[in-house]
Amino acid sequence: QVQLVESGGGLVQAGGSLRLSCVASGSIFDINAMGWYRQAPGKQRELVATITTGTSTNYADSVKGRFTISRDNAKNTVSLQMNSLKPEDTAVYYCNAKRNIISYWGKGTLVTVSS
């Protein structure tokens, strides 16, 4: 089992920045990818950004150039720096970890961007 705990969400004005963090614990020795997903009200959960153990990254087109994902393997954390936030970035952000074929999820942290 892998436990994921997110932090860093909150309310910010459009154009502002937030940094999300996720700490992994438990059976983390063979996690091969971590990432962030988000779900806005009435919408499906969507990928925001992922990063592999080898630090290869992937971003949704909607966040490219604004968001940066990073990983600290020594601290078992993955972070998401979000700049130039827009109202359409408002969502619950979920941390994800993939261990073999199993996907683990955190409980989510709410990000609200006001216009």
Side-chain angles (χ1 to χ4, degrees), residues 18-79:
L18 280 176
R19 185 177 180 86
L20 305 183
S21 293
C22 172
V23 180
S25 61
S27 301
I28 60 174
F29 53 91
D30 55 354
I31 290 175
N32 49 24
M34 296 186 73
W36 292 91
Y37 290 70
R38 67 186 181 187
Q39 187 166 17
K43 294 188 177 182
Q44 291 188 330
R45 191 172 299 188
E46 64 177 4
L47 178 146
V48 176
T50 60
I51 184 167
T52 67
T53 304
T55 68
S56 175
T57 59
N58 181 48
Y59 293 93
D61 287 343
S62 60
V63 307
K64 283 181 180 176
R66 300 188 297 124
F67 291 10
T68 302
I69 190 170
S70 60
R71 184 171 176 173
D72 186 334
N73 291 324
K75 296 182 179 180
N76 304 318
T77 61
V78 61
S79 298

Side-chain angles (χ1 to χ4, degrees), residues 11-18 66-67 81-90 112-115:
L11 173 64
V12 65
Q13 288 187 333
S17 298
L18 280 176
R66 300 188 297 124
F67 291 10
Q81 178 65 42
M82 305 186 294
N83 298 328
S84 302
L85 282 161
K86 304 176 181 179
E88 51 263 43
D89 294 318
T90 295
T112 303
V113 184
S114 63
S115 57

